[in-house]
Amino acid sequence: MRTTTTILSALALAAAASAQAADLQPQEPAPVPAEAIDTPGWRAQLTAYAWLPSLDGTIALGDGLPVFHESMSRSDILKDLNGAFFLNGSLRRDRFVLLGDFTWSSVSKDGILPTPIGNLGIEGKVDALFVTALAGYSVIEQPAFTLDLAGGARAWRLKASVDVAALDFRGSKTNSWVEPVIAARARWQFAPDWSLIGYVDAGGFDIGKSRTWQLYGTVNYRVNDQFYVSAGWRHLSLRYRDGSQSIDTDLSGPLIGATYRF
């Protein structure tokens, strides 16, 4: 049960990923207002962001083991975090845009493993990495409103390990896969320094091992021509199948971001 909690914690802390198109830029999916549409040449943005969701999910480990159901609060997820890094980047020229997202997190959890010889200490650890790459086009581009459509791929890598020191036992498993992704993002600039962003994407489509979707909305404020801050809410859904193993989880919570434009 502790190992299950660790796996689900990693998904919550790292989603990002996603799922990337889980991008959080304004001109690019990220929680910041877009730059002026009449800027010539290439325009670039880098966004550092954070997302802290709660989690509700089910995990089946296979091999005859029971199915676990888990609900975790934001405080439960945060206390198990070892480290995390979230970075989003984009390049735009005219109506064409390239988007990239890198998300990494590591969590660990100590627990007790009941055995016939007594309770043994157990430590579980999960490293999660999500990388997304998208190419898109602005089908609507007006001073106050833009609509981008994009497509690409998202790569996932989850590595889980369990260590039982008293038994000198250590086991690990790595799951990796790549899924196609399509996305749409709308931006409305309702005041000179304020904008709203709405974003939705879908990936996997049960072609391989996964099926994912997410949506988010943000309120964005322009501090100056180079710096933007944003706040909002995101929901991510992940369905993963690999033989008898499966993960069905939903994560939802607030996000904040800061963007530098150059």
Side-chain angles (χ1 to χ4, degrees), residues 23-34 45 47-51 187 193-197 216-223 227-233 254-260:
D23 260 304
L24 302 180
Q25 296 179 31
Q27 284 280 28
E28 295 61 52
V32 292
Q45 292 187 176
T47 299
Y49 63 94
W51 179 39
R187 170 187 170 271
D193 294 327
W194 293 90
S195 64
L196 294 175
I197 299 291
Y216 73 79
T218 62
V219 179
N220 318 292
Y221 177 71
R222 183 178 70 90
V223 179
F227 186 67
Y228 305 80
V229 293
S230 300
W233 197 271
L255 60 85
I256 57 173
T259 291
Y260 178 70

Side-chain angles (χ1 to χ4, degrees), residues 237-250:
S237 177
L238 169 63
R239 304 293 180 262
Y240 174 78
R241 299 288 184 274
D242 185 8
S244 59
Q245 301 181 54
S246 66
I247 298 173
D248 298 297
T249 187
D250 292 281

